[in-house]
Amino acid sequence: MRIAGRHRIQVLGARWIHLILGGALLMPFFLVASVVLALLMDGADPLRDMASQFIAFGCALPLAALVALLLPPMRPLEVSAVRTLCGVRAEQLADGPAMSWAARRRTALWFVAHLAAGGIVSGMTLSAPPAAILLLVLPFSKPLQHTALMWPKAFHGVYGPLAGLALLALIVGTAWTAGELLARCAPLLLGPTPADRLAAAERRAADLASRNRLARELHDSVGHALSAVTLQASAARRVLDADPEFARQALTAIEETTREAVAELDTVLGLLREEDCTDPAAPAPTLDGLEALLGRTRAAGVAVEATVEGRCAGLPPVVSREAYRIVQEGLSNALRHAGPVPVRLQLRVEDGQLTLRMENPLARDDTGPDPAATAARTGGGRGLRGIAERARLLGGEATAAAQDGVWRLAARLPLPLPLPLPGKSEHTRGMDGA
């Protein structure tokens, strides 16, 4: 109970400070409204006349709403104050400036409510406590009774302290009620609008796409290198004494493979640091490096038969990069799940698309295909999902499945249409065709 009471007092104190802050923010608008009111209305004196003060107070609120409507950064300022002083959870409030007009209108409405409640509570905080103290001590001070002739005679007796306590309770109750109402209205007026939620969803989707891209790059490049190095090291260990020359070749292949893996890892780390991934010191691999990739795979003991139909040298860079990664992941799957088995690779460029086909026998035991390897392949790991994502991002498709003891991977990547030559009109092309 004591902890709960202390918590309520802390909440009340923080919200009271938030309301006093609203009263302080109201003062510039109140002063401007007072000056304008004194110029436009004869006899208006907001410094002495209570009615003029209320009129200036009412005129100051539209000025505050106009400022909040025209200044998008007003929302994060108010959100910060609400999160700190009103106890509203951060996930209930919007992030960033109010860019849409709907968000600006809601921010302006909140700003007016904050300044109006803050102005009232600030005025009561400044004026009511002295009056309450006077009422509390009035029955016990004869000099005060002579000077406080405007007070009713009943306040000179026992009703004075009661009225003073009631006035203090009114201040506390008004501050608590105003703070509670503002805390309840904050998620409605300072919370994210549908446009804010859509923008946040787009940012999360972009972040997820970037993370998936980095995961694909790491999986395909480093995973392939580790699979190849594992087989090469295993082969070198088995024949180290019987065939030192083969072991020497395997170690050389391991050195080249790890060097390529480090270069590709630098590329991915550059993406993580938001650097330019086209840095010439660590370029992204394309089909121009296909022969080197096949050479490293053959050095791991895998017989790769590759057939290329069409012209792959002039492919768009993005298609060439994704095709390289798909081939790399297909070879990694063969190394990882089937071992040193023969692999057939076919690349064909025709009809505005690049078609890729790869097949290899499944790992076999004494009686046939290895069930464990087959289950692992058909389960669809991260590599297969990465292949499908790469093809889908280019508007193509990819399939992978085991059939009759053979693992088959197929991918289709559409090629972008060639752009017309600059400055060449339809009429000119028609004449050329004639």
Side-chain angles (χ1 to χ4, degrees), residues 9 101 116 119 165 169 206 224 247 299 305 315-316 331 343 359 403 410 420-421:
I9 293 175
W101 284 108
L165 293 175
H224 172 79
E305 178 186 347
L315 292 177
L331 295 174
V343 177
E359 61 181 38
Q403 183 178 6
L421 296 177

Side-chain angles (χ1 to χ4, degrees), residues 79-377:
V79 165
S80 178
V82 169
R83 186 186 297 119
T84 304
L85 298 175
C86 287
V88 181
R89 296 194 303 271
E91 59 269 17
Q92 295 180 294
L93 303 173
D95 292 328
M99 303 309 298
S100 66
W101 284 108
R104 295 187 186 189
R105 287 192 294 268
R106 292 167 63 175
T107 304
L109 183 59
W110 162 264
F111 195 56
V112 168
H114 181 201
L115 267 59
I120 294 173
V121 173
S122 297
M124 294 180 64
T125 302
L126 291 174
S127 60
I133 294 174
L134 179 62
L135 290 172
L136 288 173
V137 301
L138 187 60
F140 310 102
S141 175
K142 294 295 184 181
L144 287 178
Q145 293 178 3
H146 290 293
T147 56
L149 298 178
M150 76 287 295
W151 294 98
K153 290 295 184 180
F155 288 167
H156 293 188
V158 68
Y159 292 107
L162 294 178
L165 293 175
L167 187 56
L168 293 176
L170 178 63
I171 301 172
V172 175
T174 302
W176 177 267
T177 303
E180 186 69 20
L181 288 176
L182 288 179
R184 291 179 180 273
C185 292
L188 299 177
L189 299 179
L190 295 180
T193 63
D196 294 328
R197 293 189 179 93
L198 179 59
E202 291 176 348
R203 288 194 299 270
R204 286 194 296 269
D207 292 340
L208 181 59
S210 178
R211 291 172 57 186
N212 287 339
R213 178 190 177 192
L214 295 175
R216 289 195 303 268
E217 294 293 327
L218 283 173
H219 181 276
D220 294 350
S221 59
V222 179
H224 172 79
L226 291 178
S227 299
V229 166
T230 300
L231 284 180
Q232 291 162 349
S234 177
R237 178 182 56 81
R238 288 196 301 268
V239 301
L240 180 60
D241 296 329
D243 192 351
E245 181 61 26
F246 179 84
R248 188 178 297 107
Q249 293 175 1
L251 292 175
T252 303
I254 290 175
E255 180 184 0
E256 294 176 353
T257 302
T258 53
R259 186 181 295 112
E260 293 291 334
V262 169
E264 295 188 19
L265 184 60
D266 287 340
T267 301
V268 179
L269 293 179
L271 293 175
L272 285 173
R273 298 188 185 101
E274 297 182 352
E275 295 175 353
D276 187 2
C277 63
T278 61
D279 184 0
T286 63
L287 288 179
D288 294 339
L290 181 61
E291 284 300 326
L293 174 64
L294 297 180
R296 292 192 298 270
T297 306
R298 293 188 181 106
V302 177
V304 182
E305 178 186 347
T307 303
V308 179
E309 301 178 9
R311 186 170 177 267
C312 292
L315 292 177
V318 62
V319 177
S320 186
R321 286 195 301 268
E322 299 305 317
Y324 179 92
R325 290 303 192 192
I326 292 175
V327 172
Q328 187 180 49
E329 177 57 25
L331 295 174
S332 298
N333 280 339
L335 290 170
R336 189 181 302 116
H337 299 290
V341 298
V343 177
R344 294 179 57 187
L345 170 64
Q346 182 185 38
L347 292 174
R348 178 182 295 175
V349 180
E350 63 176 0
D351 299 332
Q353 65 181 10
L354 169 64
T355 304
L356 184 152
R357 290 185 175 86
M358 185 181 300
E359 61 181 38
N360 61 270
L362 296 173
R364 301 182 65 88
D365 56 15
D366 294 337
T367 59
D370 185 358
T374 304
R377 296 295 293 268

